[in-house]
Amino acid sequence: MSTTEEFIEATVNADGTATVSIQGSIHEFTAANEAAARAQTVELVSAHATRRGTALRPSTQRA
């Protein structure tokens, strides 16, 4: 059985702005604050994984 990994990149900024790249599609949004942007990012990525029927394996890196 072969597996493929799909990398999703997200950047959440202290001012509440965020950029998420999923399959080459860029999603940019602004939330009220950093915590809200993180929550919105997780929601977006989770919805994508659910549509694909895949599990999430998050990896967080702080710049």
Side-chain angles (χ1 to χ4, degrees):
M1 179 173 149
S2 69
T3 60
T4 58
E5 289 189 21
E6 180 178 342
F7 290 97
I8 297 172
E9 291 188 30
T11 302
V12 176
N13 302 301
D15 66 357
T17 58
T19 303
V20 182
S21 174
I22 302 174
Q23 291 183 310
S25 179
I26 304 297
H27 305 268
E28 296 179 311
F29 54 89
T30 301
N33 54 45
E34 183 177 7
R38 287 188 187 284
Q40 197 170 339
T41 298
V42 170
E43 185 177 313
L44 177 66
V45 173
S46 179
H48 175 73
T50 298
R51 283 192 301 277
R52 291 187 44 102
T54 59
L56 291 177
R57 194 170 39 187
S59 172
T60 304
Q61 298 176 355
R62 291 202 175 250

